[in-house]
Amino acid sequence: METEAVCAICSGALKRRRLEINVPDRLERHVGISETGYRRVWIECVVCRTATNVSESFSQDVLKDIETAYCEVDLDGSDISARFQKLTAWVGVERK
């Protein structure tokens, strides 16, 4: 995996590996991304210190499938009222 990418926020160099994930998440598994050879790395920018999620390139179709899968995986089987309640449950809740 290349670590010579630049930060999307400040264009600084992405150099310091912060976290490596070797198992697809629930949405990636849902759209058929295999655990074999899977790797995703969070790399920190040397300038602004934000971390960027770097993974093997997925096609735009796979990324669209993951976007669609969010509702299928997290809200499948819910009626419209239950979906609305789940999606708005955090509104007005103080987060720490």
Side-chain angles (χ1 to χ4, degrees):
M1 198 171 295
E2 294 294 320
T3 58
E4 298 177 10
V6 296
C7 176
I9 296 172
C10 74
S11 299
L14 299 177
K15 294 285 184 184
R16 186 173 179 205
R17 288 173 178 252
R18 302 299 293 176
L19 174 69
E20 183 170 323
I21 302 168
N22 295 303
V23 179
D25 67 25
R26 71 191 192 293
L27 300 175
E28 292 166 329
R29 286 190 307 271
H30 180 78
V31 299
I33 294 174
S34 173
E35 190 171 326
T36 304
Y38 179 91
R39 187 170 65 168
R40 178 179 303 277
V41 181
W42 286 86
I43 304 174
E44 184 179 302
C45 172
V46 298
V47 177
C48 70
R49 302 192 64 197
T50 60
T52 298
N53 181 5
V54 179
S55 63
E56 299 299 322
S57 297
F58 297 132
S59 72
Q60 289 301 310
D61 290 339
V62 171
L63 293 175
K64 185 67 176 166
D65 289 345
I66 290 171
E67 178 184 329
T68 301
Y70 173 78
C71 286
E72 292 174 3
V73 171
D74 289 347
L75 302 172
D76 193 36
S78 302
D79 64 22
I80 193 70
S81 177
R83 287 182 183 195
F84 179 79
Q85 291 300 318
K86 187 170 186 175
L87 292 171
T88 59
W90 286 97
V91 176
V93 174
E94 185 176 329
R95 296 184 186 123
K96 296 181 180 181

